Amino acid sequence: MNYQNILVETHDHVGLIILNRPDVLNALSDDLMDELGDAVDKFEADDSIGALVVTGNDKAFAAGADIKRMKDSGYMDVYMGNFIGRNWERISTCRKPVIAAVAGYALGGGCELAMMCDFIIAADSAQFGQPEIKLGVIPGAGGTQRLTRFVGKSKAMEMCLTGRMMNADEAERSGLVSRIVPADDLLEDAMKTAKKIAALSKPSVMMAKTAVNRAYETTLTEGVRFERTIFQSLFATDDKNEGMTAFIEKRKPDWNHR
Ligand code: CAA
């Protein structure tokens, strides 16, 4: 696929996807989402890639779904075309870790896209919001559900009902982002973090991601049982033997990802 709306780079086992519609604050068009899904497919299939980073530019991660392209759509257009369901959620099914590096606006679908990633590193300039209510609609890519799980009912309800934005400090306090870095350091920091993950044993990284995600989908008892099974299964891997032997021999592990 020839990308018109994103830029894709590879750095030391990390796949970097840069949303690239700067004239419209990276508004998420259907074409952009198709390209994003294609890039995720390719990075996921590439054995040399251990983690992904998704970012935008200084002014916007993404200001939401493309309002100009949605304006003339009716119910049957979005229902029969499976708008959002068709191509927006690919990133949330990626088996490799995905970090969202957010500077500037992450609004509407932009906030939802960031929340589909495994964690968000925010620049001090970041602003998060679900302003769809001001357009006569509601969040449509998981905002009412994921934001509520991240920040709790009260803040999520206020944001979805009023469109109020949350700055980086509030987002960190509320658990929406893992940490804040100066805007100038955002990409470097996110890439460094992704490289650290990509240098670990792939099966244990993928299983850790699966286990943490399970916490959002099941009870505590079931989740802990699931974690125990995964933990025990990792004792069947070469990398468990290598990791523990390397620790005892005071050397760096040499993973074979098996
Ligand atoms: N869709 C299409 N174009 C957008 C856009 C969007 N979501 N957000 C910004 N743009 C465009 C603007 O129309 C403008 O284009 P023109 O120069 O052609 O007029 C350009 O980007 C720059 O934007 P502004 O001039 O508005 O920039 P600003 O700095 O004054 O304001 C902003 C920035 C507060 C983010 C404002 O652009 C804004 O409110 N954007 C819309 C945010 C929004 O409502 N997002 C939700 C979309 S619906 C959705 O996402 C549904 C879902 O859940 C999936």
Side-chain angles (χ1 to χ4, degrees):
M1 184 182 264
N2 187 14
Y3 300 143
Q4 307 292 327
N5 301 284
I6 61 171
L7 303 171
V8 170
E9 298 172 11
T10 301
H11 301 267
D12 294 341
H13 309 293
V14 173
L16 172 63
I17 301 172
I18 304 170
L19 309 176
N20 189 35
R21 299 185 74 206
D23 295 347
V24 287
L25 305 184
N26 291 334
L28 302 169
S29 62
D30 226 32
D31 295 343
L32 186 152
M33 297 315 287
D34 277 339
E35 292 177 16
L36 183 61
D38 185 77
V40 172
D41 285 346
K42 293 203 168 96
F43 282 137
E44 188 157 79
D46 183 342
D47 283 343
S48 73
I49 296 294
L52 280 65
V53 172
V54 180
T55 196
N57 57 47
D58 289 351
K59 182 147 189 211
F61 177 74
D66 192 322
I67 300 167
K68 291 165 192 160
R69 301 210 186 160
M70 283 187 297
K71 183 185 152 291
D72 295 327
S73 295
Y75 174 51
M76 277 303 135
D77 300 319
V78 296
Y79 180 72
M80 294 308 287
N82 193 16
F83 180 48
I84 304 295
R86 188 183 72 75
N87 59 352
W88 274 62
E89 292 172 315
R90 175 63 183 95
I91 212 140
S92 67
T93 63
C94 181
R95 298 178 76 210
K96 296 176 181 176
V98 186
I99 302 174
V102 174
Y105 297 114
L107 301 179
C111 186
E112 292 168 306
L113 180 65
M115 291 190 291
M116 283 182 215
C117 299
D118 293 309
F119 60 96
I120 302 171
I121 300 178
D124 46 17
S125 63
Q127 299 211 62
F128 299 88
Q130 298 289 167
E132 291 90 341
I133 200 80
K134 297 193 211 167
L135 301 170
V137 290
I138 68 167
T144 62
Q145 305 304 300
R146 288 197 178 90
L147 186 65
T148 308
R149 282 167 167 78
F150 276 112
V151 306
K153 179 181 169 186
S154 198
K155 277 185 189 290
M157 193 66 96
E158 188 195 353
M159 289 172 73
C160 290
L161 291 182
T162 68
R164 176 175 84 77
M165 288 190 228
M166 189 184 257
N167 67 19
D169 282 334
E170 186 180 2
E172 189 187 29
R173 271 201 315 278
S174 314
L176 178 58
V177 309
S178 65
R179 58 202 166 77
I180 305 173
V181 298
D184 287 347
D185 302 341
L186 176 69
L187 190 55
E188 192 188 334
D189 193 292
M191 291 300 287
K192 206 166 134 193
T193 306
K195 284 177 193 172
K196 201 183 277 183
I197 295 169
L200 296 167
S201 160
K202 284 197 182 74
S204 54
V205 164
M206 289 163 70
M207 290 190 201
K209 167 171 168 154
T210 305
V212 173
N213 279 334
R214 190 56 68 98
Y216 281 95
E217 285 154 16
T218 192
T219 62
L220 179 61
T221 308
E222 281 304 322
V224 171
R225 195 173 291 150
F226 179 78
E227 179 200 81
R228 190 74 30 83
T229 304
I230 297 271
F231 170 73
Q232 289 170 349
S233 73
L234 283 165
F235 280 61
T237 62
D238 295 347
D239 283 353
K240 170 262 171 188
N241 295 333
E242 172 61 10
M244 295 195 184
T245 303
F247 174 80
I248 290 161
E249 292 178 355
K250 300 187 188 302
R251 61 172 174 81
K252 277 194 170 172
D254 180 16
W255 310 117
N256 73 8
H257 307 291
R258 288 287 180 274

